[in-house]
Amino acid sequence: MGLSDYIIMRELNFPDINRFERYCQVGGWEAYRTAVKEQTPATIVQMVKEAGLRGRGGAGFPTGIKWSFLPKDVFPRYLLCNCDESEPGTFNNHQIIDRNPHQLIEGVALSAYAIECHTAYIYMRGEFAAAALTLEQAIDEAYRAGLLGKNILGTGYDLDIYVHRGAGAYICGEETALMESLEGKIGQPRLKPPFPAVAGLYGKPTIINNVETLANVPRIVEKGVAWYRSHGTEKSPGTKCFSLSGHVNRPGNYELPFGVPLRELIESPEYGGGMKGSRPIKIIIPGGASAPWLTAKHLDVPLDYEGVAAAGSMLGSGAVIVLNDTVKAPHVAYKMDEFFKHESCGKCTPCREGTHWLVKVLHRLAEEGHAEPDDIPTLHGIYRQMAGNCFCLLGESAVMPIKSALELFPEEFEAIIKASNERHQRNGAHAIPLRVS
Amino acid sequence: MLLETHREAIETIVGRYASPRSAVLPLLYLAQDVYGHLSNAAIREVADILALPETAVFEVVGFYTLFYSRPVGTWMLQVCDDVPCCYLGAEELITALKDSLQIKEEETSADGMFTLQRVKCLAACDRAPVLQANLDYVYDVTPDKVEALLKDLQSRAADARRRGVSGRFAEDFAVTEQGAVELVARDAPYQSRQFEVQGPPPPPEPLPPPEVESGQDRAETRRGSPL
């Protein structure tokens, strides 16, 4: 079920689509020109609402509804584009920008016009130095063409778009931490409410949308709601850029309509091309590191927000990591939780301490093979003290890998414990090592 | 002093935000690229420029991983060791780099050329194992390509110093089958097979060139900015 017309990766094979003139030749910036000249901001918001565009950053919240939370007549407002893509398995924002930066900039500009804001920031993770440069050059071209700046196209509308680079912190993808970081502080999340739409950047009403979400907006405005809704499912309209990685033959980004079965993404020769060396699938992580795991028996799950949720996981950012039978579940949980431990901002105790203890126990167990007889209840105990108690979703996400591993593959933990007990006869080697790191 | 050498750039950066404090990250990048790393004096200088308490800037340097408060090599090699990279050769890559450079993680080679770091996901999982050299991506870098990569980076040391360790002027590099490092021209879109589709569509009629109205001056000043 390939797409005849892509939305996010539009004009896939039109050469040099990343050049301003080329993008304009295929109708690029037309939606924005028309909108600014002829349409009211409210019309654009209504279109996005009716199109059913959902936030692609992970939560799947309807974008148009989010925009309508802005309090009336409170200015200035800010639009922030979240490009702090850092979760293991997610890699489409970077490629969307490399392939066609203008589409994103048009999306940002259109959305800024829709919410009546005059300053938009694209917050990129610091590691995307090249992509930041690409975007800055593309933004310069838009300024030169009179599409950004003061009195755009003679309409009196002003808009500035700036690229702001973070400096290496996954937590800054959390919307309130992103605003803290943009204000020049350390990236620790804020308490909600107030929600950003009411009091966000500099205490002003602020909308934060993901790169992929905003890249959808030009096509919705250009081609209309009915066309957009002809893709995907009733509740998850449109397409999703799935980032497929792991032990598959053809890892990469594939734009597919919502609702395509997981099997098709992994096995179709057009997309994943099946498993490397035809080894069996062991673990499927369908939505980035924070999604509960699925296994080979879930291959018929449809890839939309509802379908993946019904299978007990979440679509999240659409980052599908597929691992084969050579990996050990406790080790995958260890590596995943090491990520969360490294990225924990240290603000709240359950996350700061919980991720550390999870990693300490898992490192000893999965990496060094020293296990205590009661490690399984210990691990259950640690994540239960985290679940529901963390300040933001980072800590809650860190629960998922270990919880999934214990639920799906308890026998692997038991085997390590058994082997370890037989080998060490409780000589102290299985104590948690006190290491400075 | 940064204010003397980069006044225009600093003013451009600060002018982008409603609060000068927002310029902390961009100015720290600037200082880091000018001085090589963020010494205490450099951090205080940024605090002075923005009229912030020193601690506000020191804590930022401590929090974000891309700010280096001690001297680092000309090339900062940052290897992703996360899932899925770690199951696709990242550990072997790190071992090969350590053996070749005779250093451990977080150390700098004796000639001051390379610093090796393990980092978390670099958002290029489809090209695993992956590393960044001064934030330039190097994709599909298997252990057998390490020697060629290091040699190539060594020959471009002057280039690295010019562009700074924060990769402000980064370009993409790819390692070829033979192990040579190739520059992927910036103009080429992300080259990967997954974007290929069958049968190119007929090229549409070119539109008239976009009308140029206001914004000209703006674009000129932006071009002069270093970031």
Side-chain angles (χ1 to χ4, degrees):
Chain A
M1 191 162 68
L3 280 170
S4 56
D5 205 351
Y6 294 80
I7 298 173
I8 302 150
M9 307 270 184
R10 70 191 269 183
E11 318 300 346
L12 264 180
N13 42 10
F14 188 64
D16 300 333
I17 183 78
N18 59 342
R19 288 172 187 271
F20 181 78
E21 316 79 55
R22 298 291 281 172
Y23 180 62
C24 288
Q25 281 172 13
V26 288
W29 285 103
E30 275 312 301
Y32 175 70
R33 284 169 194 274
T34 316
V36 173
K37 282 183 178 163
E38 296 163 19
Q39 289 163 307
T40 62
T43 322
I44 313 287
V45 176
Q46 192 56 31
M47 281 178 95
V48 170
K49 219 184 255 183
E50 282 171 16
L53 174 63
R54 297 177 67 167
R56 302 289 199 260
F61 193 81
T63 305
I65 310 271
K66 195 186 222 182
W67 291 359
S68 60
F69 288 158
L70 285 167
K72 281 193 177 45
D73 304 323
V74 184
F75 297 95
R77 295 167 170 179
Y78 292 102
L79 175 67
L80 309 182
C81 173
N82 188 344
C83 184
D84 192 58
E85 168 174 74
S86 327
E87 186 160 312
T90 60
F91 52 89
N92 67 25
N93 292 357
H94 173 220
Q95 294 193 11
I96 287 171
I97 290 168
D98 279 355
R99 212 189 61 80
N100 184 354
H102 302 287
Q103 183 178 357
L104 172 65
I105 297 163
E106 188 185 2
V108 172
L110 258 172
S111 310
Y113 177 71
I115 64 166
E116 299 176 72
C117 100
H118 302 289
T119 313
Y121 296 100
I122 302 177
Y123 185 99
M124 307 188 76
R125 68 179 290 193
E127 287 85 345
F128 289 169
L133 196 59
T134 306
L135 262 187
E136 294 213 325
Q137 287 169 343
I139 290 172
D140 278 355
E141 287 182 292
Y143 269 102
R144 281 201 287 277
L147 295 163
L148 299 176
K150 300 272 178 243
N151 190 20
I152 293 164
L153 304 173
T155 59
Y157 176 62
D158 303 338
L159 175 63
D160 286 314
I161 301 180
Y162 302 112
V163 174
H164 184 94
R165 266 175 73 197
Y170 166 68
I171 185 61
C172 293
E174 201 279 340
E175 55 181 14
T176 58
L178 187 152
M179 296 187 301
E180 287 285 299
S181 177
L182 192 45
E183 290 181 9
K185 302 170 194 160
I186 60 173
Q188 289 186 329
R190 298 176 184 171
L191 193 64
K192 292 188 276 192
F195 288 93
V198 177
L201 184 67
Y202 309 127
K204 303 294 179 196
T206 303
I207 292 293
I208 300 146
N209 287 128
N210 177 262
V211 166
E212 196 186 339
T213 315
L214 293 178
N216 275 284
V217 177
R219 272 281 144 120
I220 294 175
V221 175
E222 182 193 344
K223 295 212 168 192
V225 170
W227 175 85
Y228 188 78
R229 292 201 81 108
S230 69
H231 301 83
T233 65
E234 175 62 28
K235 286 187 174 166
S236 304
T239 60
K240 176 85 189 79
C241 191
F242 291 102
S243 305
L244 180 66
S245 63
H247 294 124
V248 290
N249 281 318
R250 289 160 48 91
N253 278 312
Y254 299 101
E255 182 177 348
L256 297 169
F258 279 112
V260 164
L262 195 45
R263 183 190 302 280
E264 188 172 331
L265 176 67
I266 297 172
E267 292 180 357
S268 161
E270 276 175 89
Y271 313 126
M275 298 296 283
K276 270 187 190 150
S278 301
R279 294 196 77 101
I281 295 173
K282 178 163 178 178
I283 299 167
I284 304 169
I285 307 167
S290 42
W293 301 354
L294 302 177
T295 58
K297 70 175 191 217
H298 294 105
L299 278 172
D300 293 312
V301 167
L303 285 167
D304 55 47
Y305 293 104
E306 291 72 28
V308 181
S313 183
M314 60 174 211
L315 189 66
S317 55
V320 181
I321 306 176
V322 188
L323 298 172
N324 68 20
D325 63 340
T326 58
V327 304
K328 299 271 176 280
H331 192 262
V332 180
Y334 159 63
K335 291 300 289 189
M336 287 292 195
D337 276 322
E338 199 191 42
F339 167 80
F340 287 111
K341 177 200 129 190
H342 185 265
E343 300 297 346
S344 176
C345 76
K347 178 163 183 151
C348 74
T349 313
C351 174
R352 184 186 62 237
E353 300 298 318
T355 51
H356 267 257
W357 281 106
L358 279 179
V359 167
K360 279 192 161 114
V361 176
L362 282 169
H363 180 272
R364 167 168 64 62
L365 181 143
E367 191 93 319
E368 298 182 346
H370 301 313
E372 281 278 2
D374 54 358
D375 269 349
I376 291 178
T378 302
L379 288 166
H380 277 296
I382 300 171
Y383 82 68
R384 280 191 192 125
Q385 291 177 71
M386 297 168 67
N389 294 327
C390 296
F391 193 87
C392 78
L393 282 176
L394 191 148
E396 304 293 332
S397 303
V399 168
M400 298 308 168
I402 179 61
K403 194 176 169 197
S404 297
L406 285 167
E407 261 169 28
L408 296 170
F409 306 98
E411 69 284 357
E412 295 191 16
F413 288 86
E414 283 154 13
I416 296 173
I417 293 167
K418 187 161 174 275
S420 177
N421 279 347
E422 283 165 6
R423 197 165 62 246
H424 297 296
Q425 286 122 27
R426 302 188 61 75
N427 61 358
H430 34 352
I432 291 174
L434 294 170
R435 51 180 70 238
V436 187
S437 70
Chain B
M1 295 297 279
L2 293 175
L3 262 185
E4 281 137 41
T5 53
H6 295 79
R7 176 174 286 276
E8 198 188 336
I10 291 169
E11 281 169 0
T12 310
I13 293 168
V14 174
R16 292 174 184 172
Y17 307 101
S19 151
R21 185 169 179 173
S22 287
V24 166
L25 264 57
L27 290 197
L28 284 172
Y29 274 130
L30 181 70
Q32 181 160 277
D33 282 336
V34 171
Y35 298 128
H37 76 284
L38 292 169
S39 62
N40 287 355
I43 297 169
R44 288 197 180 98
E45 198 183 337
V46 170
D48 275 350
I49 293 172
L50 296 172
L52 288 171
E54 286 173 13
T55 49
V57 185
F58 272 96
E59 77 166 352
V60 165
V61 174
F63 183 84
Y64 294 95
T65 56
L66 291 181
F67 294 131
Y68 315 124
S69 51
R70 59 189 170 83
V72 292
T74 305
W75 287 104
M76 194 75 187
L77 300 180
Q78 296 172 314
V79 190
C80 169
D81 73 343
D82 233 320
V83 180
C85 278
C86 68
Y87 298 122
L88 294 160
E91 290 302 328
E92 292 81 352
L93 169 62
I94 293 168
T95 307
L97 283 166
K98 282 156 77 173
D99 289 348
S100 182
L101 297 170
Q102 292 294 303
I103 52 173
K104 293 202 286 281
E105 292 93 338
E106 301 294 331
E107 288 180 356
T108 301
S109 58
D111 57 358
M113 187 59 67
F114 298 103
T115 300
L116 180 65
Q117 259 190 345
R118 282 172 184 265
V119 293
K120 295 298 158 194
C121 189
L122 289 173
C125 317
D126 55 337
R127 309 289 299 271
V130 66
L131 67 78
Q132 284 191 325
N134 287 10
L135 305 188
D136 290 344
Y137 274 106
V138 186
Y139 300 115
D140 304 318
V141 45
T142 45
D144 53 309
K145 295 169 180 168
V146 161
E147 287 307 323
L149 172 69
L150 293 179
K151 221 173 125 195
D152 176 78
L153 291 175
Q154 201 129 26
S155 71
R156 294 192 293 111
D159 185 36
R161 286 188 202 103
R162 186 172 58 78
R163 296 178 321 161
V165 75
S166 310
R168 283 181 304 150
F169 305 102
E171 297 135 314
D172 278 3
F173 295 88
V175 181
T176 63
E177 291 295 316
Q178 289 73 37
V181 178
E182 235 175 38
L183 184 67
V184 180
R186 171 163 298 283
D187 285 339
Y190 189 89
Q191 300 287 331
S192 67
R193 56 204 175 279
Q194 60 268 24
F195 290 132
E196 289 163 16
V197 285
Q198 284 88 37
E205 288 297 310
L207 294 166
E211 29 188 317
V212 178
E213 290 178 27
S214 61
Q216 190 76 35
D217 300 341
R218 182 81 220 196
E220 289 307 320
T221 49
R222 289 179 57 84
R223 241 185 325 184
S225 89
L227 291 186

